[in-house]
């Protein structure tokens, strides 16, 4: 699934500023070009990030043919200002398929100024993404509403969703047959080293969220001598790439959905859906069934409802918005708030089509997926019985891999004894990248340190308001300081989770659209399913 990612936790001043403009390497203008290590940087400032610059670099489509066809990667930068310069800090928000151009501005603005001033913070759109060229879009409108119910109540419903997924795979093959063999995490990792070289750096610092942790681990496997420092936040389980990881996610998202309905029950005075979490959850599924019969506003059927509420599994801060829409529909059959939150949190635009195209291209190529639909059928019905919230939604999201036109690769073994110590952050209740993945990666990266957010359910935990976690991050980036290793081999440091949100007051609800749109913009900006 890996649907939303990275700094979802930063819905606040930084997010609101993002609404005013998006940097683009293709449209960068303003100041005169400044050459630096072979790259030409131009201003692509936004109101939120006035120092953001953009550039681009050419890399081979096929790294086995370095002098063959070249493709373009879009880059962004917030340049260092301190006398002490610690080199480039490459940042990646996750995905695969997420644009990273804005990530440079976000990280530079979110770190303490005295720390970010010591780095050139570098963002990039990976191959196929956003402002990089070519940018993939296999089947425009693939997520247009109203889609068939994700849960296949009949054999015909299951076949219809299979046909839709296969059509997406065929669309990719028809448009990008020459590109698809080179859409993989390994290719993206080799791109990173060419970005390093273009920056004129002997080594890089790296900061990745979610899928960005796997990209960083693969890069470190191939180029350990090029890594100075690395931070992995919300870590992909390297042993489950990718089919098993997605099934594990289904259990996690169901647990987070239950946490959400329990939170709604605790705030019954606001939402008036009852004090029993089980009954609140039942009311949500009753809403789902009602939408199966009559989609809200002609847009929100049961599948779109799941799309709308999935972001709540990534970031608790979205719960008040989702709860208001839930209450309005369940209590008064008012569909307008639900449609509004679908537009904010669930609807997929052209950028989302691009993100999903790259997501499938990379994950389907990275590793083996079952080619027999019987395996998908059995595994997803078995998981659905335990975790009905989004299991089948996630199955169809990944189903193009069942008929992907390019043979899979063997996943990289990211075990590494040649790296400097890596700092790993992981929340115990993370749904998108379950806790076990952080532990597994920690054990594979010799000398790494694991910092745990105990009881935390947010995905992407640093730079989101948890001062304990951010202190470890800041110390590491500033001086290389790490927590002492645990004598038991478990977590090396533990931080308490950030508090759950409170329901919004009436005055805040009056401005709900702006806030929700800011949150939606951020989760689209920084990730798509991972």
């Amino acid at each position: 699934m890996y649907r939303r990612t990275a700094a979802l936790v930063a819905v606040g001043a930084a997010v609101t500023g993002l609404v005013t403009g998006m940097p683009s390497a293709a449209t960068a203008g303003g100041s005169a070009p400044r050459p630096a290590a072979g790259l030409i940087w131009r201003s692509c400032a936004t109101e939120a990030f006035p120092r953001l610059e953009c550039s681009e670099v050419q890399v081979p489509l096929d790294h086995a043919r370095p002098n063959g066809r070249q493709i373009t990667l879009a880059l962004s930068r917030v340049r260092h200002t301190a006398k002490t310069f610690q080199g480039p800090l490459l940042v990646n928000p996750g995905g695969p398929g997420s644009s990273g151009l804005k990530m440079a501005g976000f990280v530079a603005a979110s770190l303490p100024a005295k720390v970010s001033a010591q780095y050139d913070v570098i963002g990039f759109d990976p191959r196929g993404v956003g402002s990089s060229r070519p940018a993939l879009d296999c089947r425009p409108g693939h997520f247009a509403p109203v889609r068939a119910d994700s849960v296949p109540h009949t054999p015909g419903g299951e076949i219809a969703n299979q046909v839709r997924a296969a059509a997406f795979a065929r669309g990719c093959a028809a448009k990008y047959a020459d590109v698809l063999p080179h859409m993989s995490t390994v290719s993206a990792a080799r791109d990173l080293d060419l970005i390093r070289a273009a920056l004129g750096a002997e080594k890089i610092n790296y900061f990745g969220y979610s899928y960005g942790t796997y990209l960083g681990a693969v890069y470190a496997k191939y180029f350990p001598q090029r890594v100075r420092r690395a931070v992995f936040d919300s870590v992909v389980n390297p042993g489950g790439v990718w089919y098993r990881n997605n099934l594990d996610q289904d259990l996690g998202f169901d647990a987070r959905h239950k946490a959400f309905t329990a939170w709604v029950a605790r705030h019954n005075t606001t939402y008036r859906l009852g004090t029993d979490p089980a009954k609140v959850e039942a009311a949500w599924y009753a809403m789902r069934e009602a939408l199966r019969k009559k989609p809200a506003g002609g847009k929100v059927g049961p599948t779109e409802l799941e799309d709308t509420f999935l972001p709540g599994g990534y970031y608790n801060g979205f719960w008040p918005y989702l709860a208001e829409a839930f209450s309005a529909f369940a209590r008064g059959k008012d569909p307008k708030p639900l449609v509004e939150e679908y537009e904010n949190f669930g609807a997929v635009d052209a950028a989302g089509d691009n993100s999903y195209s790259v997501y499938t291209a990379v994950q389907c190529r990275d590793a083996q997926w079952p080619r027999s639909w019987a395996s998908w059928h059995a595994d997803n019905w078995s998981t659905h019985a335990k975790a009905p919230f989004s299991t089948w939604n996630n199955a169809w999201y990944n189903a193009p891999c069942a008929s992907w036109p390019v043979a899979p690769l063997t996943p990289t073994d990211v075990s590494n004894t040649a790296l400097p110590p890596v700092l790993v952050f992981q929340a115990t209740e993370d749904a998108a990248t379950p806790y076990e993945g952080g532990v597994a990666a920690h054990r594979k990266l010799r000398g790494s340190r694991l910092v745990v957010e105990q009881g935390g359910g947010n995905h992407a935990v640093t730079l989101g308001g948890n001062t304990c976690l951010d202190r470890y991050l800041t110390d590491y980036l500033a001086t290389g300081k790490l927590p002492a290793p645990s004598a038991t081999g478990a977590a090396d440091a533990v931080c308490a989770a950030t508090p759950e949100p409170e329901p919004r007051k009436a005055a805040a609800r009056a401005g709900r659209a702006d806030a929700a749109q800011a949150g939606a913009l951020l989760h689209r900006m920084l990730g798509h399913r991972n």
Side-chain angles (χ1 to χ4, degrees), residues 166-190:
F168 186 89
R170 288 196 305 274
C172 282
K175 296 175 74 171
Y176 305 110
D178 56 338
V179 175
L180 294 184
H182 311 292
M183 294 297 299
S184 69
T185 300
V186 171
S187 291
R190 295 192 180 280

Side-chain angles (χ1 to χ4, degrees), residues 112-441:
K114 65 180 181 181
V115 176
S116 62
Q118 298 178 28
Y119 289 93
D120 282 352
V121 184
I122 305 294
F124 59 97
D125 279 356
R127 57 174 54 203
V129 176
S131 294
S132 293
R133 293 291 179 267
L136 275 57
D137 190 353
C138 295
R139 190 171 184 248
H142 184 70
F143 291 97
V146 173
R147 311 198 303 277
D149 190 344
S150 65
V151 179
H153 298 280
T154 65
E158 189 164 353
I159 291 171
N161 275 311
Q162 284 179 260
V163 168
R164 175 175 170 271
F168 186 89
R170 288 196 305 274
C172 282
K175 296 175 74 171
Y176 305 110
D178 56 338
V179 175
L180 294 184
H182 311 292
M183 294 297 299
S184 69
T185 300
V186 171
S187 291
R190 295 192 180 280
D191 290 343
L192 283 184
D193 202 55
L194 293 182
I195 293 173
R196 175 202 59 77
L199 292 169
E202 288 296 316
K203 295 186 177 186
I204 64 166
N205 307 278
Y206 182 85
F207 182 7
Y209 289 101
S210 198
Y211 166 78
T213 68
Y214 184 64
L215 174 60
V218 172
Y219 175 79
K221 182 69 174 187
Y222 286 99
F223 305 99
Q225 76 282 7
R226 298 300 189 183
V227 178
R228 180 176 179 267
R229 291 176 188 157
V231 178
F232 295 164
D233 182 335
S234 303
V235 183
V236 167
N237 189 335
V241 176
W242 290 107
Y243 183 72
R244 173 49 54 187
N245 279 355
N246 274 276
L247 291 171
D248 290 344
Q249 278 190 328
D250 298 335
L251 303 174
F253 275 97
D254 194 80
R256 294 313 299 157
H257 187 62
K258 285 179 168 61
F260 163 70
T261 55
W263 178 86
V264 172
R266 288 196 295 277
H267 295 286
N268 180 53
T269 55
T270 299
Y271 303 115
R272 302 190 180 281
L273 290 169
T275 59
D276 183 344
K279 290 182 178 178
V280 174
E281 185 181 19
W284 191 90
Y285 283 102
M287 174 174 65
R288 188 189 190 284
E289 180 62 21
L291 294 171
R292 189 163 76 94
K293 297 174 181 177
K294 183 181 179 182
K299 290 184 177 181
V300 185
T303 303
E304 290 76 22
L305 181 72
E306 293 163 348
D307 294 345
T308 302
F309 279 75
L310 270 168
Y314 288 84
Y315 175 49
N316 300 347
F318 294 142
W319 287 359
Y321 303 100
L322 298 173
E324 289 166 11
F326 175 19
S327 177
F329 188 89
R331 294 182 64 245
K333 294 295 184 279
D334 181 1
K336 292 181 181 177
L338 193 61
V339 173
E340 182 179 353
E341 299 311 348
Y342 164 70
E343 296 289 352
N344 290 331
F345 293 113
V348 176
D349 57 13
D353 283 339
N354 166 244
S355 182
Y356 179 65
S357 296
V358 176
Y359 170 93
T360 51
V362 172
Q363 291 213 353
C364 298
R365 176 66 165 147
D366 265 0
Q368 181 71 52
W369 295 73
R371 300 293 286 189
S372 167
W373 188 254
S375 296
W376 293 72
H377 176 93
D379 289 341
N380 283 282
W381 274 122
S382 175
T383 305
H384 175 87
K386 296 173 283 189
F389 169 58
S390 62
T391 293
W392 275 105
N393 185 298
N394 194 26
W396 301 121
Y397 198 84
N398 291 285
C401 295
S403 58
W404 199 245
V406 182
L409 302 171
T410 300
T412 300
D413 177 3
V414 300
S415 300
N416 209 317
T417 61
L419 279 178
V422 172
L423 186 57
V424 176
F425 291 93
Q426 189 66 48
T428 57
E429 310 305 316
D430 183 1
T433 51
Y435 176 72
E436 294 76 13
V439 174

